[in-house]
Amino acid sequence: MSQRAVKLSLIAAAYSAAELLAEPGIGPSRALEIETWLKEQGWTFRLSTSHAADLRTGQDETASE
């Protein structure tokens, strides 16, 4: 896999599905295309809607369990 694809996968996987849908120009069809592409790369969307900064500080409910 090219370095660019890896970087794009990391960026896309940092989103939850709800966060991706909130991005301008991203509708359900495009989100599904991105999800399918991620799965082909062995990645998925983040499950939590908490931001990565919350995970680092332990403020996410799933990170503190």
Side-chain angles (χ1 to χ4, degrees):
M1 189 177 339
S2 75
Q3 286 186 345
R4 183 173 185 215
V6 171
K7 289 178 182 178
L8 289 174
S9 297
L10 286 170
I11 292 167
Y15 280 87
S16 70
E19 290 169 337
L20 185 66
L21 284 168
E23 288 291 326
I26 302 292
S29 295
R30 183 52 129 179
L32 183 58
E33 289 175 1
I34 294 169
E35 182 178 27
T36 301
W37 177 79
L38 274 176
K39 286 181 181 179
E40 290 170 356
Q41 309 305 313
W43 295 84
T44 62
F45 289 131
R46 203 177 75 244
L47 296 178
S48 172
T49 58
S50 296
H51 295 284
D54 295 337
L55 291 173
R56 285 194 302 273
T57 60
Q59 295 178 15
D60 179 65
E61 66 279 355
T62 57
S64 62
E65 292 177 6

